Amino acid sequence: MALRALWVLRHEPRAVLFSRRYPTVEARAEAFNGSTHVAVPPDSDFLKAMLFELRLTDDQSFVEHRDTCTRIDHSSVRSVRVEGGDLWPVVAFQKSGLIYACLPLVEAVLEPRPPLLTIPGLSQGLALLFGILDYISPSRKNEAELSAKAGQLRSLIIQACPLGTPLNTNISSLNSSLDDIQVVPTDAKQPAWRSNTYKGKPQVNVCITEKVKCMQYDRRDVVDMWQVYGAVSCKCDIEGAAPNVTLTLNLPTNGSPLQDILVHHCVTSVDPAMLMSSSVNPLDDSVCSGPYKFPFVPPSESFNLCYYTSQVPVPPILGCYQLIEEGSQLKITVNLKLHESIKNSFEYCEARIPFFNRGPIAQLEYKVSYGQLDLSREKSLLVWVIGQKFPKSSEVSLTGTVTFGEIGKEHPTDYVCTGTTAYVKMYFRIPDFTLTGCYVDQHSVQIFAPGKPKITASRELISSDYYIWNSEASAPTMYKSLYY
């Protein structure tokens, strides 16, 4: 369970913000991989190859080994073509203009490629990348702070991933000064990820956060797509060098099974049936309906115990958007319906209707059956605030006519939303609710430590990339695999 290399790259301008290589792990890779071994290229070559793999180069021409329909990305694991061959398995994802990537060690020959579930370094590498993301992301708006944090990563990674072995994925909890690196615990039972011993009343906080992505078209020739992905975050304040905790996730009778479960490295054991349930292969009928038990020795700081996906029967909000151009005006109609199985209690719920490649909104006539409609300061976006509840009918509608002024350089443009190709994007949060029905029974949380613990459990459903496209025009389609 080791990493051969680690990178943080920038797309624009192109730059390698951070890189770390582990020669000892590379030597092991050569021994394990044999003739199938592909060496890690120089940083500049890897940056170029990674941007090409992610289609972030100026050249958008078709490349068969990358763009053929027989090669559809199922996850964040990629094969990056470099001078020496195909570098695999590269774990990489893009967030806010930065690319986070690592190359786990595979303790076997690479041809034929072993199943991803047999490579333990994938989950550890992904968890470490998420830790780096959490550390860097608050500084994205400040270039100076971003450069400073990138410079501090070297000393932090020495602590978090010594000799290529991830020990602590919570980068933000580490000290950036090499002089203040904590001494390895003298208690042999204390794992490396528990950097200190808590003193006080035991308490455990658990939060299940589910996000739902959706692409709706309201057309017979295009299939609507939606996907749920969740994360279970924990904060365990418990005395002892290595306290044992068991947390169980439950589903109601009609709940949607969890799939693609990825666990934190502090989990000591897991039922293999949980890991075999996958949404990648549509022909795979292996289903684990729970309960899902996770015995673990918790880190000192907050962490994500596991990640998962699920395919629920219906999206929470069904929508229809019609935009028709008549002369110099646009006629819009938006109909939304809350599904009967969804809890009608929102922290917020609104529909945003942007207008690209046009001038400012000069005249607006509208009628809403519920809520209120606001016009943005830039006069290029309509915000329909539905509020904290749908009406008793569970249906709301908006009709209107929009007239635009002359377009200027300051108005938003988009290469996809041209002509009448347009969308409505939903933003909402439902507290104390999950789309899968997944919940934590506080009485089932087992803690093998002195004292009666205080258990706090919460859950929430949040929209993420929830689009409703104009049914009267062409729209970009999305494969199910692109949701990961």
Side-chain angles (χ1 to χ4, degrees):
M1 294 187 290
L3 303 180
R4 295 167 57 188
L6 186 66
W7 296 273
V8 178
L9 313 172
R10 178 152 58 183
H11 173 211
E12 291 182 353
R14 295 186 181 183
V16 179
L17 295 183
F18 171 81
S19 70
R20 184 74 169 89
R21 297 160 184 268
Y22 299 97
T24 55
V25 182
E26 187 67 13
R28 292 167 58 194
E30 292 183 24
F32 282 120
N33 303 156
S35 60
T36 61
H37 176 74
V38 177
V40 178
D43 290 343
S44 58
D45 294 345
F46 180 79
L47 171 61
K48 182 178 179 181
M50 194 73 245
L51 294 178
F52 181 80
E53 169 66 21
L54 296 176
R55 301 173 180 85
L56 296 176
T57 60
D58 296 333
D59 185 4
Q60 297 296 317
S61 58
F62 176 82
V63 179
E64 183 173 358
H65 80 268
R66 182 193 66 184
D67 303 323
T68 177
C69 61
T70 60
R71 180 177 181 252
I72 300 176
D73 296 329
H74 293 302
S75 66
S76 297
V77 180
R78 301 177 178 275
S79 177
V80 179
R81 181 156 295 185
V82 296
E83 185 176 351
D86 290 338
L87 199 62
W88 183 89
V90 176
V91 180
F93 61 86
Q94 184 183 8
K95 185 72 174 179
S96 301
L98 298 183
I99 302 168
Y100 302 82
C102 69
L103 179 62
L105 171 67
V106 180
E107 298 181 353
V109 294
L110 301 180
E111 292 294 341
R113 290 179 177 175
L116 296 181
L117 286 176
T118 64
I119 307 174
L122 291 176
S123 59
Q124 285 195 328
L126 186 60
L128 182 62
L129 293 179
F130 276 126
I132 296 175
L133 168 65
D134 292 339
Y135 173 73
I136 289 182
S137 57
S139 61
R140 287 296 294 122
K141 295 182 179 180
N142 188 316
E143 190 69 24
E145 187 178 353
L146 174 63
S147 300
K149 284 199 170 185
Q152 293 170 354
L153 263 182
R154 184 164 300 278
S155 62
L156 295 174
I157 292 299
I158 291 175
Q159 303 173 61
C161 189
L163 300 177
T165 303
L167 298 180
N168 190 343
T169 59
N170 191 351
I171 306 298
S172 300
S173 68
L174 300 175
N175 196 310
S176 60
S177 172
L178 284 174
D179 297 333
D180 295 330
I181 295 179
Q182 297 181 355
V183 178
V184 176
T186 56
D187 191 330
K189 295 182 179 180
Q190 182 168 339
W193 56 82
R194 282 187 66 83
S195 56
N196 57 69
T197 303
Y198 172 78
K199 296 293 183 182
K201 184 178 180 180
Q203 51 186 352
V204 175
N205 293 289
V206 184
C207 179
I208 303 175
T209 300
E210 287 189 353
K211 295 184 178 181
V212 55
K213 289 188 175 183
C214 188
M215 297 279 274
Q216 296 185 42
Y217 303 94
D218 192 38
R219 290 167 53 182
R220 293 183 178 181
D221 59 332
V222 184
V223 178
D224 294 346
M225 299 297 301
W226 59 91
Q227 179 78 29
V228 173
Y229 57 102
V232 181
S233 60
C234 298
K235 179 67 168 71
C236 302
D237 294 325
I238 307 172
E239 291 187 0
N244 290 294
V245 180
T246 299
L247 187 147
T248 303
L249 301 180
N250 298 282
L251 292 176
T253 305
N254 59 346
S256 300
L258 310 186
Q259 298 176 307
D260 308 318
I261 297 176
L262 179 67
V263 300
H264 192 274
H265 60 76
C266 72
V267 176
T268 55
S269 64
V270 67
D271 184 353
M274 291 166 47
L275 301 179
M276 295 304 295
S277 183
S278 172
S279 64
V280 172
N281 186 358
L283 301 179
D284 185 6
D285 58 355
S286 59
V287 174
C288 179
S289 299
Y292 307 89
K293 288 191 174 182
F294 300 91
F296 59 96
V297 178
S300 304
E301 306 296 329
S302 61
F303 68 102
N304 286 324
L305 177 66
C306 70
Y307 300 92
Y308 62 85
T309 67
S310 182
Q311 188 60 57
V312 296
V314 292
I317 297 178
L318 299 170
C320 174
Y321 179 33
Q322 294 180 328
L323 182 148
I324 302 174
E325 192 165 11
E326 294 184 356
S328 60
Q329 294 181 332
L330 291 181
K331 288 191 174 182
I332 62 173
T333 302
V334 183
N335 295 307
L336 302 175
K337 180 179 181 180
L338 181 69
H339 192 267
E340 59 185 8
S341 64
I342 306 303
K343 179 182 178 182
N344 190 8
S345 179
F346 294 78
E347 180 181 314
Y348 58 85
C349 181
E350 63 183 37
R352 299 185 183 181
I353 311 172
F355 298 96
F356 298 102
N357 308 310
R358 301 179 185 274
I361 296 176
Q363 185 176 356
L364 172 64
E365 297 179 0
Y366 69 91
K367 179 181 179 181
V368 292
S369 65
Y370 194 79
Q372 67 181 43
L373 188 67
D374 298 327
L375 177 62
S376 68
R377 181 180 300 179
E378 298 80 11
K379 296 186 177 182
S380 59
L381 172 70
L382 297 180
V383 181
W384 182 13
V385 180
I386 298 169
Q388 297 180 331
K389 279 184 177 292
F390 273 67
K392 290 184 178 180
S393 64
S394 298
E395 298 182 17
V396 294
S397 63
L398 160 67
T399 57
T401 303
V402 186
T403 305
F404 299 90
E406 295 184 3
I407 189 171
K409 294 182 179 180
E410 70 277 8
H411 296 103
T413 59
D414 189 274
Y415 294 107
V416 175
C417 296
T418 59
T420 55
T421 298
Y423 61 80
V424 174
K425 188 173 183 180
M426 300 297 302
Y427 293 83
F428 58 83
R429 177 182 181 270
I430 307 178
D432 194 28
F433 180 82
T434 53
L435 207 52
T436 61
C438 184
Y439 67 95
V440 175
D441 183 359
Q442 300 183 26
H443 300 289
S444 68
V445 179
Q446 299 178 336
I447 300 178
F448 303 94
K452 185 179 180 180
K454 177 184 178 182
I455 311 296
T456 304
S458 61
R459 54 183 185 164
E460 61 181 354
L461 175 67
I462 303 174
S463 63
S464 174
D465 297 335
Y466 202 105
Y467 293 95
I468 302 171
W469 289 90
N470 178 22
S471 60
E472 301 295 325
S474 59
T477 57
M478 177 167 289
Y479 293 101
K480 177 181 178 182
S481 59
L482 297 184
Y483 277 89
Y484 308 111

